[in-house]
Amino acid sequence: MSETPAVDLRGGVAAAARRLADAGLLVGTAGNVSARVADRVAITATGVALGACTADDVTVVSLDGEVIAGTLEPTSELSLHLGVYADSPAAAVVHTHAPFATALACVLDALPVLHYQQLALGGEIRVAPYATFGTPELAAHVRAALEGRGAALLANHGSVTLGGTLDAAVENALLLEWLCRLHHRASALGTPRALTKEQQGDVVRAALERGYGTRKEIR
Ligand SMILES: [Zn+2]
């Protein structure tokens, strides 16, 4: 790989971290962001203030975790990120301690589908059982919870989202936080209704037919 794409990749990860911090999803040094190109992963370093993250705060590693570029030690959740890349074709992974996602992950065993937008994440979002941060046990729980999904909640910890691009992983993190806030607000009013399997199937069919979420030129 030439130097330029690696620099762009590190800068892209830093920009994504700043965007998530601006949106309130990453606070202080909590959370981490990575992106993969071919056999390299650019990932935020441990102890970095993510709201002010720069390309120098992003370390490039191999898929085995060997450091290729950068001077800072990668995040303690490196094995979680590398495990997700081993399981899926995702190009980016976002891990947050976002307020509403984390709150719901202290209570729920799964986030039900209250709103059809959640189907963009694959349906009901599982809550991975609790394990200490940075451990292989946590990585294994999260990888299992992500099966067939673009997101998972981590019990008493936070959230993980994936994407086919860095932007998509960021958008999925923002969407998940919106859905968790929705669940919180709806639950304050009463017991939320979840969409039935039939209603969810109708949404998927309608989205496929109409190209939901894509811009359309007026002809
Ligand atoms: Zn964490």
Side-chain angles (χ1 to χ4, degrees), residues 8-189:
D8 289 349
L9 191 61
R10 293 171 74 186
V13 168
R18 293 194 304 272
R19 184 177 168 204
L20 288 161
D22 285 347
L25 272 66
L26 296 178
V27 178
T29 62
N32 28 76
V33 179
S34 73
R36 165 172 67 178
V37 172
D39 58 355
R40 296 186 181 197
V41 174
I43 188 160
T44 49
T46 192
V48 165
L50 294 157
C53 190
T54 70
D56 289 341
D57 297 323
V58 178
T59 302
V60 180
V61 300
S62 69
L63 292 176
D64 297 328
E66 182 191 346
V67 174
I68 295 169
T71 58
L72 299 176
E73 190 179 319
T75 169
S76 54
E77 297 295 3
L78 175 62
S79 64
L80 189 159
H81 288 249
L82 295 179
V84 171
Y85 291 125
D87 290 342
S88 85
V93 176
V94 168
H95 166 51
T96 81
H97 298 177
F100 286 91
T102 306
L104 264 58
C106 293
V107 177
L108 300 181
D109 295 320
L111 178 65
V113 180
L114 302 190
H115 194 286
Y116 70 88
Q117 276 193 280
Q118 188 166 326
L119 297 175
L121 299 175
E124 184 177 87
I125 302 301
R126 304 180 190 98
V127 178
Y130 181 80
T132 306
F133 78 93
T135 58
E137 288 77 15
L138 178 62
H141 290 330
V142 173
R143 289 165 72 174
L146 280 169
E147 189 180 355
R149 299 290 187 274
L153 294 169
L154 284 58
N156 300 73
H157 183 160
S159 74
V160 167
T161 55
L162 318 180
T165 64
L166 202 41
D167 280 348
V170 169
E171 292 296 334
N172 283 343
L174 294 167
L175 173 60
L176 178 62
E177 185 66 356
W178 182 83
L179 291 163
C180 289
R181 193 181 296 132
L182 173 71
H183 188 284
H184 172 76
R185 286 176 172 161
S187 299
L189 301 172

